[in-house]
Amino acid sequence: MVNLPGAEDQTDREADQQPISVSPDPEWDIVGESCTNPSHVNETNTQNRLVDKALRDAVIQRLQVQDGKIPPITPSVFQTRWISIAKLKKVEKWKAILEIFSDIPSEALPSVIGIKLDALLLDEIIQALDWLCDTEAPSSKILDFTYKTLLYLSQVPRFYCGLLLVSDETIRAVHILLELLENHASDSQDTKWKELPQLKEKYTTGF
């Protein structure tokens, strides 16, 4: 039998072009199903919302039982407690931050925080306040706590330096919180937040 020139190459090319049959791997099917299963995603989201609500409710309850006669913690205690929450997950950390601030009379914030205030600390405090107020209708107690915290934070040394470097997320949170405070003050005709216009100016200058 005589092989014609190029016949062997032609045979090889035809073999290369044959469709390759790949047996389905059942493990891939399992992975794909688990990633796209809507019931699994919905269940996870529901669990996250329940945990989020439980943590927020715990902070709200803590604030409601405060009698306004809190002995101020010292700067060293504040620093120790702040360092201790560094590795917490986001929502758990927000809860812990608010618990720390609920243990400090608002007017004592400038002396307790002092020169430790920076952009990162401001980010976390303001975002924690935004999370606290992220309910259908924040109570007067919560809004009053938010107002006083923002007010006395603005009196902490280096506040303006830190504010210039906060994240975009924090800037959005500032606007949301100020709008909530303005709406509440307008609806309730509450005159106790006399410094709200100045507070807005302090937090939005340059944004």
Side-chain angles (χ1 to χ4, degrees):
M1 179 177 179
V2 179
N3 290 330
L4 297 176
E8 186 175 347
D9 293 341
Q10 178 69 23
T11 302
D12 291 341
R13 284 196 298 272
E14 290 176 355
D16 290 341
Q17 293 173 359
Q18 292 298 318
I20 299 174
S21 175
V22 179
S23 300
D25 187 341
E27 292 186 1
W28 281 102
D29 292 339
I30 293 172
V31 172
E33 183 178 351
S34 65
C35 290
T36 58
N37 188 339
S39 62
H40 175 74
V41 173
N42 290 337
E43 182 180 349
T44 301
N45 289 340
T46 300
Q47 290 174 346
N48 289 340
R49 284 195 297 270
L50 290 174
V51 171
D52 187 83
K53 183 179 184 302
L55 292 175
R56 185 185 291 106
D57 288 347
V59 175
I60 293 172
Q61 184 177 8
R62 184 187 182 98
L63 290 172
Q64 288 173 339
V65 299
Q66 295 285 15
D67 59 4
K69 299 178 181 178
I70 315 165
I73 64 176
T74 63
S76 60
V77 171
F78 171 78
Q79 185 173 8
T80 300
R81 290 181 65 178
W82 190 269
I83 292 172
S84 70
I85 66 175
K87 295 183 179 180
L88 293 178
K89 294 180 180 179
K90 183 166 65 174
V91 175
E92 293 174 344
K93 190 173 187 179
W94 287 339
K95 175 180 179 288
I97 288 171
L98 294 168
E99 288 175 343
I100 292 173
F101 276 74
S102 69
D103 290 340
I104 307 173
S106 300
E107 61 273 14
L109 288 177
S111 59
V112 171
I113 298 177
I115 61 172
K116 300 180 185 69
L117 187 66
D118 58 15
L120 180 59
L121 196 146
L122 265 179
D123 277 334
E124 293 182 325
I125 296 169
I126 293 172
Q127 289 176 30
L129 290 171
D130 182 47
W131 170 76
L132 178 65
C133 293
D134 187 19
T135 62
E136 187 173 342
S139 67
S140 297
K141 181 77 173 178
I142 298 305
L143 292 174
D144 193 52
F145 171 77
T146 299
Y147 169 78
K148 289 180 178 178
T149 301
L150 291 176
L151 177 64
Y152 287 100
L153 264 182
S154 70
Q155 299 176 15
V156 175
R158 300 176 61 183
F159 166 76
Y160 289 105
C161 294
L163 190 65
L164 289 173
L165 300 173
V166 295
S167 67
D168 290 342
E169 184 178 356
T170 297
I171 294 172
R172 287 192 294 271
V174 164
H175 287 286
I176 291 170
L177 291 173
L178 290 173
E179 184 177 356
L180 279 173
L181 294 174
E182 287 179 322
N183 290 341
H184 179 77
S186 175
D187 293 342
S188 63
Q189 300 298 317
D190 200 335
T191 59
K192 64 182 178 181
W193 297 345
K194 296 179 180 179
E195 297 185 60
L196 185 55
Q198 293 87 344
L199 185 67
K200 181 177 181 179
E201 184 177 354
K202 286 181 179 181
Y203 276 89
T204 57
T205 299
F207 290 166

